[in-house]
Amino acid sequence: ALRLVAGATVQDGKYAVVRGLPDRYVSSQMNGVRLPTADADKRAVQLDQFPSELIESIQVSKTFTPDQQGDASGGAVNVVLKGIPDATVLKFSAGTEYNTQTPDKGEFITYKGGGVNFSGIDDGGRDMQTPGMNWNGAVGVSRGDPPPTYNWSLTAGGKKEVLDGLKVGGLGNFYYKQKTSSYDNGTDDSYWLKGPGRVMTPQTKQGAPSSTGIESGDSFKTALFDVSQGSEEVQWGGLGAVGLETENNKLMLLYMRTQSTEDTATLAEDTRGKDYFVTSQVPGYDPRAPYDGYQDAAPYLRSETLEYVERKTDTLQLRGDHTLPFPETGIPGYFVLLPPELDWTVAKSMSGLNSPDKRMFGSTWKPGTPDTVWGSTTFPGIPAGYYANKGEAAYTLGNVQRIWKDISEESEQYSVNGKIPFEQWSGDKGYLKAGVFNDKVKREYNQDSFSNLNGPGTGNQDTGPSLPWDEYWSSVFPAEGHKILATEIDVDYKAEQKISAVYYMLDVPLCPFFKVLGGQRVEKTDLSIVLNPDTEVYAPDGKGGSEYLTAKDFGVEQQDILPALGFELKPHDKLTIRASYSETVARQTFKEMTPIQQMEYLGGDVFIGNSDLTMSAVKNYDLRADYTPFDGSLVSASWFKKEIRNPIEYVQSYAANIGTYTTPVNYPAGELTGYEFEVRQQLGRFWDPLKGLEIGANATFIQSQVTLSDDEAGMLESFGYPEKTRDMMNAPAYLYNLNLTYDIEKTGTRLGFFYTVQGDTLVAGSGVSQGYMPSVYAKEYGTLNFSVSQKIGEHWKVNFKAKNLLDPEIQEVYRSEYTEGDTVKTSYTKGIEYSISASYEF
């Protein structure tokens, strides 16, 4: 639905993006309430948690007004759930789906003991181990059968008049879904530029090849990973609502619970580093045969990550809408006050993430050395086998890590809005509106990490079994008698964010064709984080250094006055012109402010927060013209501009004890400018046989830029890569949405084609370490979806959908003016997904 709105799209299949501005700049809500999220990375509502059967509409506002939350810079997205139905409704649906990348039996990437049970709630098999015990359970991947995929839902509700003018109603829904996804064609490569005018080469760490070329005795590692992944997910949830309704009053109490559990196994192998540095340069070299001299030059690496994650959301909301019993007052024809209106919402919500026993296993494989003959004596060579891969030589962790993580977030929110509508001399209606808002969010983040640390009684930490490359060390590791020990690298903090606001706004029609809307919002933000470990590694200011610390707290507190002023001009009854100016803010997330080291899998990208981040201030300019020549037709054009002070951007950096990592920083300034065009047309107006056929198209073109800080610009220039500005993160160069729907009323058939293209988008800015790391861009790709539904009789309907029909390669690339063309960093495909379902509705 979001893709049908000009300038809107979805990030990661879950988060709303409006006008190229991601979740930081978009206020996403459900029934006007911003739900808490246990997502470690974002402070955004995951839109995929709402069952489509319950969605009444999706309201998208791209212009800030004072009654919206202050971070609605790109816009506000409000998912409105269906209210209590006027008539009795009973609906049941069930379906299944298939993905072209689903592997054959026995080939699905999983692990021993892995998988999600029917309830989506762990049965205790992943409970924390006692330190000092031997490792139990799988630590690496294996192959198995893909689980079945299916879904079903049940909805029932109705409304009844119990007394004269008093109606009582209710609505209930429960849904369940099980699905899988997998790919065996992924890549995750790390490259850099070692000097101006040179070509991109693989990043090396823990050593480097000889400057004159590969030589015997060289020792270093690379990160050119081929990635395979298997994931299975169970989603379920329910919603219940009851309500009372009279002519002037509505009350509704709503409770919703959602549960999403995902179990993912990831296998990443680096064999291309050896091919790049050794095999291609040493004639006749066989990387798997015993060979003296190149054992440690880009050895084979394997990283295995097993992650089971449960996410849940609970929300209880009480809402009232009232028209107050005051008579109309004033002088008819001049100025009349209409009955005041009042609405209020009280909500208490909770979100939780439980990741019990995330396991990461890193291994290095070497082909061994041949026997050596010295005179009459033969010295046996080193057999082929495994060695520990810790990711970085300076790590105090071993090559196996297990992490138990629990994140919980609770919010209490209330809002009250009063509105006084009026009618004045022109006969047009306006209003005065004012209100208060309060949102208090508390988060607790608890992580316990364990490893096979170097030390007495923990087993041999550096040398593994003598096995060929095709047999995994992880398959025999638990039986080798290693001890599991607690580490000093943990993440434990408590965080709180309080947002309170008051606002007023006035909508005044000065004449039948011109009205003005203006007002002001005063919003206070109080964000605080308290780290509470005794022995945690802390990266001060996100710069990569480490120190041990006791409890430390930090945060931000500020008050913002956010004005808004706009006008609407109707020079013709078919033409409307709107313009506005407003000021908004963008906030940092808890993760971005927490200076700790985090990574998704052993050897993967490291993220470090920055406690010195400040909030961003945004000035918004909007101009829009809508032309509706006749019913069922729209031609629209818009121009918008965002001026951002202290935008939060991600950059790549390097530290000797960490390696390459990503960290958020405030840049001095940023600017985003764009144009939107939209056309919608019902073709039945031109030719009666085309009745029910509608086409729509919209396009958004975006130019963005941020100004680098003096320190970063100076560092880049000192390495020979001068750079003063770059594109803004997560702002695509363009967005295209095309859709065609055909509703054949006579046969009960509905067809739909939907095509979406998202242009190149900056993911991370450039940086320098032992080499220059160009900016990383997500490359353009298009998505084509098709759907058809067919009514059968009065109550039955069959639905068929085909998603991602083009199955494009989804890539991130290194890109810079100092490189020739793009160099692929990550790549994978999603596969084509087919689904079919049947529903019965009474």
Side-chain angles (χ1 to χ4, degrees):
L2 275 176
R3 294 189 177 107
L4 301 180
V5 179
T9 187
V10 179
Q11 183 181 34
D12 300 331
K14 298 180 180 181
Y15 305 102
V17 176
V18 180
R19 287 178 166 175
L21 295 171
D23 56 280
R24 188 191 313 283
Y25 302 92
V26 178
S27 176
S28 297
Q29 306 150 29
M30 190 272 282
N31 281 0
V33 174
R34 170 171 263 168
L35 299 180
T37 174
D39 192 311
D41 301 326
K42 302 176 183 292
R43 268 288 295 145
V45 177
Q46 298 175 348
L47 299 179
D48 67 340
Q49 66 182 302
F50 308 118
S52 58
E53 290 88 350
L54 292 183
I55 296 177
E56 174 69 27
S57 64
I58 297 183
Q59 301 173 349
V60 180
S61 174
K62 292 182 283 188
T63 302
F64 172 77
T65 53
D67 56 347
Q68 298 175 18
Q69 296 183 31
D71 58 354
S73 305
V77 176
N78 185 25
V79 178
V80 181
L81 302 184
K82 289 180 179 178
I84 297 169
D86 291 326
T88 301
V89 172
L90 176 64
K91 181 179 180 180
F92 177 79
S93 65
T96 185
E97 63 184 44
Y98 167 75
N99 190 292
T100 56
Q101 288 187 178
T102 300
D104 296 332
K105 286 187 175 182
E107 294 299 320
F108 184 73
I109 291 279
T110 181
Y111 58 96
K112 185 179 179 180
V116 183
N117 60 32
F118 180 82
S119 70
I121 300 175
D122 183 49
D123 58 7
R126 296 177 172 86
D127 287 348
M128 193 179 303
Q129 281 190 249
T130 302
M133 295 176 58
N134 289 338
W135 295 69
N136 63 22
V139 294
V141 305
S142 58
R143 299 276 178 170
D145 296 339
T149 59
Y150 60 92
N151 61 83
W152 59 271
S153 70
L154 176 66
T155 304
K159 184 185 297 183
K160 184 178 181 180
E161 188 169 359
V162 294
L163 296 173
D164 186 22
L166 175 63
K167 297 179 181 179
V168 178
L171 179 72
N173 168 270
F174 187 86
Y175 70 95
Y176 186 91
K177 183 175 185 178
Q178 182 168 317
K179 64 180 298 183
T180 64
S181 62
S182 64
Y183 61 84
D184 270 319
N185 57 358
T187 60
D188 188 354
D189 297 343
S190 297
Y191 286 87
W192 57 18
L193 204 62
K194 293 294 285 184
R198 299 186 181 181
V199 298
M200 293 282 286
T201 57
Q203 290 186 23
T204 57
K205 56 185 178 180
Q206 300 183 39
S210 301
S211 59
T212 57
I214 194 72
E215 294 183 3
S216 178
D218 283 349
S219 177
F220 58 90
K221 293 178 181 177
T222 56
L224 302 179
F225 288 102
D226 296 306
V227 183
S228 298
Q229 188 176 92
S231 178
E232 54 183 291
E233 182 177 9
V234 166
Q235 286 185 342
W236 59 264
L239 179 146
V242 294
L244 301 174
E245 182 179 318
T246 65
E247 181 180 0
N248 295 321
N249 299 279
K250 290 183 180 180
L251 285 175
M252 186 170 73
L253 178 66
L254 177 147
Y255 173 75
M256 185 182 74
R257 164 71 189 275
T258 65
Q259 175 87 22
S260 175
T261 303
E262 189 171 10
D263 196 17
T264 304
T266 304
L267 171 66
E269 296 178 325
D270 179 359
T271 60
R272 288 181 285 118
K274 177 74 77 173
D275 293 340
Y276 183 95
F277 283 104
V278 184
T279 307
S280 62
Q281 299 185 42
V282 179
Y285 180 79
D286 181 353
R288 298 199 185 192
Y291 199 93
D292 197 11
Y294 300 102
Q295 289 285 303
D296 298 314
Y300 282 10
L301 305 178
R302 179 178 288 128
S303 174
E304 301 166 74
T305 303
L306 316 177
E307 184 169 22
Y308 174 95
V309 178
E310 296 178 4
R311 293 183 173 90
K312 63 180 179 180
T313 301
D314 289 273
T315 180
L316 181 65
Q317 302 177 11
L318 179 63
R319 178 183 176 87
D321 291 274
H322 313 278
T323 300
L324 303 183
F326 290 94
E328 297 181 1
T329 58
I331 304 175
Y334 290 92
F335 186 84
V336 177
L337 288 175
L338 304 176
E341 300 171 7
L342 178 71
D343 69 81
W344 53 270
T345 300
V346 178
K348 186 175 179 63
S349 308
M350 188 279 290
S351 184
L353 180 148
N354 178 31
S355 178
D357 203 3
K358 177 179 179 179
R359 312 170 204 181
M360 299 182 285
F361 189 98
S363 55
T364 301
W365 184 85
K366 300 177 183 180
T369 59
D371 294 344
T372 302
V373 178
W374 187 267
S376 59
T377 304
T378 300
F379 297 93
I382 301 174
Y386 284 99
Y387 301 83
N389 177 27
K390 305 179 188 178
E392 291 292 336
Y395 277 9
T396 57
L397 298 174
N399 67 309
V400 191
Q401 299 171 34
R402 297 177 79 168
I403 298 172
W404 278 263
K405 180 167 61 178
D406 182 75
I407 306 173
S408 63
E409 195 168 286
E410 296 182 355
S411 75
E412 297 176 356
Q413 180 178 313
Y414 71 81
S415 63
V416 180
N417 303 288
K419 184 177 180 180
I420 303 177
F422 57 82
E423 184 178 291
Q424 55 190 47
W425 56 89
S426 62
D428 295 306
K429 294 181 180 180
Y431 61 84
L432 170 65
K433 186 176 181 181
V436 297
F437 172 85
N438 189 279
D439 184 25
K440 181 179 179 180
V441 175
K442 290 184 177 181
R443 167 176 285 205
E444 287 196 24
Y445 191 120
N446 297 297
Q447 177 175 311
D448 294 288
S449 301
F450 299 85
S451 181
N452 58 330
L453 300 173
N454 296 317
T458 60
N460 191 327
Q461 300 300 300
D462 297 318
T463 304
S466 298
L467 295 173
W469 168 249
D470 296 328
E471 296 183 30
Y472 295 7
W473 182 7
S474 59
S475 65
V476 299
F477 182 88
E480 291 180 334
H482 301 271
K483 305 291 185 183
I484 179 171
L485 299 177
T487 76
E488 296 179 342
I489 302 180
D490 268 332
V491 184
D492 296 287
Y493 69 82
K494 294 182 179 181
E496 187 172 271
Q497 178 178 275
K498 300 177 184 177
I499 300 174
S500 57
V502 295
Y503 76 90
Y504 71 89
M505 58 189 293
L506 184 64
D507 186 325
V508 182
L510 299 179
C511 62
F513 58 85
F514 185 76
K515 72 175 182 178
V516 176
L517 188 148
Q520 183 173 271
R521 184 180 185 92
V522 180
E523 190 166 270
K524 182 179 179 181
T525 302
D526 186 355
L527 189 154
S528 61
I529 300 175
V530 178
L531 285 173
N532 193 28
D534 291 326
T535 52
E536 248 189 32
V537 171
Y538 170 62
D541 305 325
K543 298 298 190 297
S546 298
E547 64 181 41
Y548 293 99
L549 61 113
T550 56
K552 188 175 180 68
D553 61 274
F554 38 84
V556 60
E557 182 178 353
Q558 72 179 58
Q559 180 172 291
D560 297 281
I561 299 176
L562 308 174
L565 180 65
F567 72 81
E568 181 180 297
L569 175 66
K570 296 196 71 168
H572 190 276
D573 61 354
K574 296 181 179 179
L575 177 64
T576 303
I577 300 173
R578 298 180 178 89
S580 70
Y581 167 79
S582 62
E583 296 182 14
T584 53
V585 296
R587 298 182 180 90
Q588 55 278 74
T589 66
F590 294 135
K591 176 182 178 180
E592 291 168 343
M593 285 199 66
T594 307
I596 54 176
Q597 303 171 27
Q598 302 181 55
M599 62 181 170
E600 292 304 310
Y601 59 85
L602 200 65
D605 294 337
V606 176
F607 182 92
I608 299 177
N610 179 2
S611 60
D612 287 340
L613 283 180
T614 61
M615 290 172 55
S616 306
V618 188
K619 294 182 178 180
N620 309 279
Y621 306 85
D622 292 274
L623 179 64
R624 179 183 176 94
D626 292 330
Y627 179 55
T628 53
F630 33 77
D631 290 343
S633 179
L634 170 68
V635 179
S636 177
S638 305
W639 170 86
F640 57 91
K641 182 178 181 179
K642 314 285 182 182
E643 295 178 351
I644 307 175
R645 187 177 75 249
N646 298 324
I648 298 173
E649 298 284 303
Y650 287 4
V651 299
Q652 301 172 87
S653 192
Y654 181 87
N657 61 318
I658 297 172
T660 301
Y661 66 95
T662 299
T663 189
V665 297
N666 283 114
Y667 279 171
E671 183 175 290
L672 183 145
T673 305
Y675 296 89
E676 290 176 349
F677 303 95
E678 183 176 9
V679 176
R680 291 202 302 266
Q681 181 62 60
Q682 294 177 356
L683 299 182
R685 177 178 180 85
F686 305 112
W687 190 30
D688 195 60
L690 297 180
K691 183 179 179 181
L693 183 62
E694 181 174 347
I695 60 172
N698 61 69
T700 305
F701 303 94
I702 299 172
Q703 289 185 328
S704 65
Q705 179 178 283
V706 291
T707 302
L708 275 62
S709 65
D710 292 340
D711 288 346
E712 187 171 352
M715 183 179 296
L716 288 167
E717 187 169 7
S718 68
F719 276 77
Y721 304 97
E723 187 177 328
K724 300 291 185 182
T725 62
R726 62 164 171 80
D727 294 338
M728 185 180 294
M729 235 179 67
N730 294 317
Y734 47 83
L735 293 167
Y736 304 139
N737 295 304
L738 305 174
N739 61 85
L740 182 149
T741 58
Y742 194 14
D743 192 347
I744 309 173
E745 187 175 350
K746 183 178 180 180
T747 62
T749 307
R750 301 192 70 182
L751 303 169
F753 288 90
F754 307 91
Y755 181 57
T756 300
V757 177
Q758 178 168 315
D760 293 353
T761 306
L762 181 67
V763 176
S766 59
V768 290
S769 58
Q770 295 171 316
Y772 170 70
M773 298 168 290
S775 296
V776 178
Y777 282 82
K779 285 196 70 174
E780 168 204 314
Y781 70 93
T783 303
L784 177 63
N785 297 336
F786 167 73
S787 65
V788 58
S789 67
Q790 177 63 57
K791 291 193 69 174
I792 301 176
E794 185 179 356
H795 302 292
W796 287 93
K797 182 186 291 185
V798 177
N799 298 277
F800 172 78
K801 295 180 181 180
K803 296 182 180 181
N804 198 37
L805 282 167
L806 302 179
D807 196 17
E809 196 170 9
I810 300 173
Q811 292 184 332
E812 291 182 357
V813 298
Y814 291 103
R815 181 178 298 168
S816 170
E817 61 180 292
Y818 302 106
T819 60
E820 294 185 6
D822 296 337
T823 301
V824 175
K825 175 172 172 49
T826 66
S827 177
Y828 70 100
T829 58
K830 292 182 177 180
I832 305 172
E833 182 180 293
Y834 301 100
S835 64
I836 188 168
S837 64
S839 63
Y840 175 88
E841 183 171 4
F842 171 77

